[in-house]
Amino acid sequence: MRLLWPVGCFGRRIVRHFSQVARPGGEELSRLLLDDLAPTQRLERLFGLSPCLLALRADRRSVTRLLLQAGKAGLQGERTELLRVAEARGIPVLRPRRQKLDALCGHQVHQGVCMEVSPLRPRPCDEATEASPGDDPQQLWLVLEGLQDPRNLGAVLRSAHFLGVDRVITSRRNSCPLTPVVSKASAGAMEVMDVFATTDLAGFLKAKAQQGWLVVGTVGCPGPEISQSFKVPITSCLEFIWDRPTLLVLGNEGSGLSQEVLASCQLLLTILPRRQLPPGLESLNVSVATGILLHSICSQKKGFSAQTEKGQLPQDT
C-alpha cells in the first residue's frame, strides 16, 4: 500500500521532524558558525615511489591510506616493501585503476603510487641545533629566500641532501610550502631532511654573523651596482676557500636576493660563464646554480677527495 503525505502545514512538520532526526543536532547544529566547529586535519596526496617509500620509512607523517595501481604483473621491488610496511602499520591499501589514480594525483607522474598523508611544515628556526663555529670550521647551512617554484625547491633540497649540507633555512614570506610536488621533485629527500623557516631572514643572518659565521650571498654575472651600493666583494665560486662555518644564501628565481638580505652578506659568490652571453642569459636556474655552488664548496671538505679517490663513500652517505 502506498502512503501519500498531505501537502500542507502537517506535511511540512513531518518533513522537518525527520530532517532533524536524520541530522544529529537539528536546528542547534545549523546555528553553529563555521569557526565553532573543530577543524579537521587537512590531508595531502603524496605521489611517486621514492617520496611515498621514504615518507613511510621516516614516519614523520600520519598516513590515512596507501593507493597502489592495480597491474597485471603484481608488485615487485620497492612496491612490495611499501605494501609490507603499510600492512604492518595497519594502513588501509586500495588498488585503484590507472585513470582513477591519475585523477587523484592531478595527472602528475605518480609511478602507480599515492598516499593520503598529513602535511609537512618547516620547523621554527630556533629549533635548529645551535652549533658553535669553533666546533667544526666546515659547517655549511643553505639559506633560501623566496623560492617559489616547487620543482626548483625540490631540486635544491635534493642537491643539498646529496652533497651533505648541514641545515636548510627558508624564509616564511613569499616561499613555496613543502608540497607533494616539492617532495616528488626532491626524489623524496624532503621526507628525510629537516627544513627550518624564519620570519626575519635578515635578522637571522646578522645574528649568525655575530656568532662568527660567514654569510655568503650569490649573484649572477658580477654587477658593478652591487659592489658600489653595498661594498660587498664578489668572487668566483672556484676561488672561494671554505675555512669557517658558512651560510650560503640563494634568492628568488626572478629577483634574486632582496636588498635587505644583500646588506647582511659579507661576501658574494658567482658562477662565471665560459662564453660571452646575450642579455637574459647572464644567470643560471636557481636549482642548477645551487648544485654547482654546493659541489664547489663541499668538495673542499676534509677527507672528501681522499675518500672518493679510493672509491670510498663518507659514512653519512
Side-chain angles (χ1 to χ4, degrees):
M1 180 173 64
R2 184 179 180 186
L3 296 177
L4 297 176
W5 293 106
V7 178
C9 183
F10 176 74
R12 286 194 293 273
R13 288 198 191 101
I14 294 295
V15 172
R16 181 179 176 185
H17 170 74
F18 276 95
S19 67
Q20 291 180 0
V21 173
R23 185 179 63 181
E27 291 184 356
E28 293 298 323
L29 183 61
S30 66
R31 294 193 193 105
L32 289 174
L33 297 174
L34 183 60
D35 291 343
D36 295 328
L37 298 174
T40 56
Q41 187 181 43
R42 185 174 67 87
L43 296 178
E44 296 179 337
R45 291 192 177 98
L46 188 67
F47 57 90
L49 183 56
S50 289
C52 290
L53 184 56
L54 290 173
L56 279 179
R57 289 173 178 169
D59 198 19
R60 299 197 298 174
R61 296 180 185 258
S62 298
V63 182
T64 302
R65 57 180 181 171
L66 169 66
L67 293 85
L68 290 174
Q69 182 181 323
K72 297 179 181 179
L75 299 178
Q76 298 177 352
E78 293 178 326
R79 288 174 175 79
T80 304
E81 183 180 353
L82 269 173
L83 182 60
R84 179 184 58 79
V85 175
E87 290 179 340
R89 296 183 187 173
I91 299 171
V93 180
L94 302 180
R95 302 294 298 274
R97 295 184 179 276
R98 173 64 182 267
Q99 293 82 355
K100 179 66 174 178
L101 199 56
D102 286 346
L104 288 173
C105 297
H107 299 279
Q108 302 279 356
V109 181
H110 51 70
Q111 299 172 292
V113 179
C114 174
M115 289 197 314
E116 291 183 350
V117 298
S118 60
L120 278 184
R121 308 291 187 202
R123 294 169 57 185
C125 199
D126 55 11
E127 292 184 8
T129 303
E130 290 296 335
S132 171
D135 295 341
D136 179 6
Q138 289 191 318
Q139 296 178 66
L140 180 63
W141 291 16
L142 179 64
V143 182
L144 308 173
E145 183 192 21
L147 261 67
Q148 297 179 341
D149 188 317
R151 290 176 176 80
N152 275 341
L153 178 56
V156 165
L157 293 179
R158 183 176 184 177
S159 295
H161 188 64
F162 185 88
L163 292 169
V165 168
D166 297 296
R167 293 286 183 272
V168 176
I169 312 292
T170 66
S171 58
R172 289 196 183 276
R173 186 176 58 184
N174 299 327
S175 291
C176 175
L178 300 179
T179 66
V181 175
V182 176
S183 185
K184 183 65 168 65
S186 75
M190 188 188 91
E191 304 299 322
V192 297
M193 64 189 302
D194 289 324
V195 179
F196 301 87
T198 177
T199 55
D200 182 11
L201 190 56
F204 168 78
L205 295 175
K206 291 175 182 177
K208 298 303 287 185
Q210 291 175 357
Q211 295 173 13
W213 290 67
L214 177 65
V215 181
V216 178
T218 51
V219 292
C221 289
E225 69 282 355
I226 297 178
S227 299
Q228 294 172 3
S229 300
F230 297 101
K231 308 301 181 183
V232 182
I234 302 175
T235 186
S236 166
C237 63
L238 298 178
E239 298 175 359
F240 174 71
I241 299 177
W242 184 26
D243 57 0
R244 55 189 286 200
T246 300
L247 300 170
L248 179 66
V249 192
L250 288 104
N252 174 269
E253 291 93 340
S255 56
L257 297 175
S258 66
Q259 299 297 311
E260 188 179 19
V261 169
L262 271 173
S264 305
C265 295
Q266 300 158 290
L267 178 68
L268 296 176
L269 289 188
T270 189
I271 302 171
L272 296 177
R274 297 303 181 186
R275 57 159 51 106
Q276 193 71 30
L277 297 174
L281 292 178
E282 300 93 344
S283 62
L284 293 166
N285 170 276
V286 65
S287 65
V288 175
T290 301
I292 295 172
L293 290 167
L294 289 180
H295 187 268
S296 176
I297 296 172
C298 293
S299 61
Q300 300 179 43
K301 196 167 185 68
K302 294 176 182 178
F304 180 85
S305 299
Q307 287 173 331
T308 52
E309 286 176 2
K310 295 178 181 178
Q312 298 174 348
L313 294 176
Q315 291 183 356
D316 289 346
T317 306

